[in-house]
Every structure is written in structure tokens, then in C-alpha cells.
Amino acid sequence: MGLLDFIKKIEPDKKKSPFLHTLYDGFFTFAYAPNEVTKGGVHVKDGMDLKRTMITVVIAMQLCYVFGTYNIGHQHFNALGMYPGFLEGFNLKLAHGLIKLLPLFIVANVVGLGIEFWFAAKKGHGIEEGFLVSGALIPLIMPPDLPLWILAVAVAFAVIIGKEAFGGTGMNIWNVALLARVFVFFAYPTTMAGDQVWVSGFEEVAAGAAPYYGWAHNLFDSLFSWGGLDTFKAASSSVIVDGFTGATPLALAYQGGWEAVTDVYSTQAMWWGTIPGSIGETSKPFILIGVLILLLTRIASWRIMLSMFIGASLMALILNAWDATPFMSVPWYYQFWMGSFFFAMAFMATDPVTAASTNTGKWIYGFLIGFVGMIVRVLNPAYPEGWMLAILFMNTFAPLMDHYIIQSNITKRLKRA
């Protein structure tokens, strides 16, 4: 209690220093759970407050962070034809991944939280915990070499236009993390699409291209040399091997169907996630562990997840029957081996603020995301992945779904009355 008393004593005056008080309040509520309740006999207390809800989601995606960090380095050295075994060159792969991911995480959270702190101070209320999840999600859905200034602009756009303009946490109608991604995709498409963006550490992903290493790599080299480990200096003279492609399985599927995919990647590699792609979206087992955590804690809706899977499966079966292009011929069940379906299902579609709230609405909402997302993935030549657009589209219609479902229930009850 001595530390708690000390922290309470240094609380800034809310009127004299509103911004400092907002910062203080944010860090205080992050460290301690409020021990005060509303006076009276009708107060309902629940251990799962907003902070704990958000932290649970962040915990559920930690394995995606661990694997994604390492996979950044694995893809880099795979392009050089070095350390082909997944655990070979462990220190270099992990270090390269940290060098690429940490700046993305820091910039996303500093910009996003900075804006939220400023708005909270202006409004005169406490800092909301809503950006905890968005700040953790945004780095995972970006390419590893995304310029930091583009990320900063995208986060500012998503927080200001997509969230604060609607009133802050709990008021936004679109998923904030997806807004940041869609901003980058449409404003700076060459940094988000194509074969050049998914493998980091090269000016150009082409045969004969040499890697570039900066001061952070040199710093790690000093540590690795001291420990007798392999260094980046030894790899700096290597070049991208002939025949290497930075294309994702989805891009290959669009070009030549399932055969084109399996010529480059095995089904095992696609399942475990040792392939190019957005940082946190490749490893299906680790994402499914996050799904299990969200379901066991009842943070995410199983109705949305199941209906999304049903919708995507149905549309994939229809496309298999149509079979007019190579992509349509990909067996429906292998559609889930490629791309970011499970990540979108677990951490994006189930956002409780932007998803449908009624149980019936959740079934319709999830089903349409899966159905429409598969259409966009397979039939859109410019963008062979569809969950981002499908989720944002259904975010827009989720309030309308709930409205008509509630009105229908009211009408039925009035008739009974």
C-alpha cells in the first residue's frame, strides 16, 4: 500500500494540468484496478472490466507476435539461400525480426496513444483502453518493411477519422486497425501489395539483390561476435538466390491455381506459417490457440466465428463448382491454408464494438463476411484477399442488421401482447 499511497500523492491537479492529469490517470488505471464502486444497493460488480477485456485479447495474440518476429528473419535468410532449416541461424533470424517489428510497434502505439491522450485531456475524461488492442493489431497486419512515416499517417487517420470523430472508444463503426491497413492499401498501394513487400531487408526482391543492414544489425553483431555466434556481416556478401519469389500463396493461386502454389510452398509450410505475408497472419496453429483463449474467456463470439467459416466454405464450394479460372479450382478446404482467414476471423470480425450485437445479427454478420470475403479474394484480380474489405463493409451494415432484428422482436412481442 505504500507505493499506492505515494502514487496517489503525486497526482497532478486536473484543472491546472489537464494533460498531465490525463497521463497520470491513464498509467494509474493501467497499473491498478479501481477499488471504488457506485454507492447504493443496485450496483452490479463484474471482474471483467474494459481493461481486462482488452488485455485478454492482447494476450491471445502474443504467440502471433513471437512467431511473426522470427518469421520475418526466416523469410529474409530464405531469400539469401541461407539457414534453410527453420531453427538454423536462430539468433540472426530473431534479431532481424526484432529490428523490423519493434519500430512498427513503437510508432503505432506512440502515435495512436498520443492522439488518444490529447483527446482525453481536451474532453476532460480518463484515457480509454480501446487502443490497446488496435495498437497491438496494427503491426501484425502490416508488411515488415513498411516505411514508418506511412504507418504514422495511417494510424493518425484511423484514430482521428475512424474513432475520435465518432466519440471515442465504443462509438466507432469501423474497426480501427483495419482502417489503418485500408488507408495504406489505397493511399500507398505499392507498400502493401505485390511480391516486393513481404520479404524485408532488400531494396528489391529479385535474384542477385544484396541485403542492407543498418546500425541495429551492427549492434547485434557486436553481441553475437562476443558470444561466438553467426553474424550479419557474414551474410552481407550474399545475394538473393535465383528462382526465389516473394509472392504469397494467394498471388500464386491467382496466377496458376493450386498447382502453382504447391510448386513453391508445401501445405505444411502454409499451415505452420513459414511463408511470406503480413507479420502476424501466417501461422494457423498459433492463431487458433488465440481463438481458443478468446472462446474460453468468452471475449469473442463463437457465432461470428462459426458463421464466418460457414459462409466462406459455402462460397468456396460454389466457386469450385463454377471452376472458370485457376483460382476457382483451388479445393475449398485449402482456401483456409492460404491468406489471413483465421486471423481476420479471430481478431477482426469479432470486435465487439463494430460487430453485430444481437445473436441473430451475429450469425448474419459472420456469414456475410465469409461469403463476401471469398468472392473478393477469388474474383478480384487487383486484390487476392478479401477479409479486410468484407469486414469493413459488414461493419457498416451491422447497426442496420441489429435494428431490424430488434424491431422484428418488438413487433412479435406486441402481437403476443
Side-chain angles (χ1 to χ4, degrees), residues 271-351:
W271 177 252
W272 286 104
T274 56
I275 56 175
S278 295
I279 294 170
E281 297 177 343
T282 62
S283 179
K284 282 69 181 178
F286 289 145
I287 295 170
L288 291 175
I289 291 174
V291 169
L292 187 61
I293 293 172
L294 295 178
L295 291 177
L296 290 176
T297 55
R298 299 185 179 182
I299 297 296
S301 168
W302 64 268
R303 294 177 177 84
I304 293 175
M305 293 187 186
L306 179 58
S307 60
M308 183 173 166
F309 180 81
I310 293 171
S313 300
L314 178 60
M315 189 65 238
L317 285 167
I318 293 172
L319 293 170
N320 280 173
W322 187 356
D323 197 20
T325 67
F327 206 163
M328 290 184 187
S329 65
V330 174
W332 70 273
Y333 44 89
Y334 280 130
Q335 289 285 357
F336 301 105
W337 261 244
M338 304 183 294
S340 58
F341 173 84
F342 288 114
F343 191 90
M345 178 191 74
F347 300 113
M348 300 296 187
T350 56
D351 175 13

Side-chain angles (χ1 to χ4, degrees), residues 354-371:
T354 57
S357 299
T358 60
N359 286 341
T360 303
K362 289 174 182 177
W363 283 107
I364 299 170
Y365 170 83
F367 179 86
L368 289 176
I369 289 175
F371 197 85

Side-chain angles (χ1 to χ4, degrees), residues 159-320:
V159 175
I160 296 173
I161 304 300
K163 185 177 181 180
E164 296 300 340
F166 289 93
T169 298
M171 304 294 183
N172 52 294
I173 62 172
W174 295 300
N175 184 288
V176 174
L178 282 180
L179 272 184
R181 181 183 169 98
V182 80
F183 178 87
V184 177
F185 179 77
F186 287 111
Y188 307 97
T190 57
T191 65
M192 183 59 78
D195 300 346
Q196 297 287 316
V197 304
W198 307 114
V199 180
S200 66
F202 302 96
E203 293 290 346
E204 181 184 10
V205 181
Y212 64 85
Y213 299 128
W215 63 267
H217 294 86
N218 295 331
L219 179 61
F220 273 106
D221 267 1
S222 301
L223 298 174
F224 296 152
S225 297
W226 180 77
L229 301 173
D230 291 349
T231 63
F232 289 104
K233 184 177 181 180
S236 61
S237 58
S238 302
V239 295
I240 294 180
V241 297
D242 291 338
F244 176 80
T245 175
T248 63
L250 288 172
L252 295 170
Y254 181 77
Q255 295 167 7
W258 186 241
E259 290 185 3
V261 177
T262 53
D263 284 344
V264 180
Y265 304 111
S266 67
T267 54
Q268 184 180 18
M270 285 183 279
W271 177 252
W272 286 104
T274 56
I275 56 175
S278 295
I279 294 170
E281 297 177 343
T282 62
S283 179
K284 282 69 181 178
F286 289 145
I287 295 170
L288 291 175
I289 291 174
V291 169
L292 187 61
I293 293 172
L294 295 178
L295 291 177
L296 290 176
T297 55
R298 299 185 179 182
I299 297 296
S301 168
W302 64 268
R303 294 177 177 84
I304 293 175
M305 293 187 186
L306 179 58
S307 60
M308 183 173 166
F309 180 81
I310 293 171
S313 300
L314 178 60
M315 189 65 238
L317 285 167
I318 293 172
L319 293 170
N320 280 173

Side-chain angles (χ1 to χ4, degrees), residues 12-29:
D13 185 85
K14 188 173 183 179
K15 293 183 178 180
K16 294 181 179 179
S17 305
F19 186 74
L20 287 177
H21 185 272
T22 299
L23 289 175
Y24 167 87
D25 182 69
F27 288 112
F28 179 81
T29 55

Side-chain angles (χ1 to χ4, degrees), residues 106-172:
I106 292 170
V107 168
N109 282 276
V110 167
V111 174
L113 290 174
I115 293 172
E116 292 223 339
F117 284 15
W118 187 83
F119 271 95
K122 287 295 182 180
K123 294 175 182 177
H125 61 61
I127 296 169
E128 299 158 334
E129 294 90 348
F131 193 77
L132 286 176
V133 173
S134 298
L137 279 172
I138 289 172
L140 293 179
I141 59 177
M142 297 295 177
D145 260 349
L146 181 71
L148 296 179
W149 70 270
I150 292 180
L151 177 65
V153 173
V155 172
F157 171 85
V159 175
I160 296 173
I161 304 300
K163 185 177 181 180
E164 296 300 340
F166 289 93
T169 298
M171 304 294 183
N172 52 294

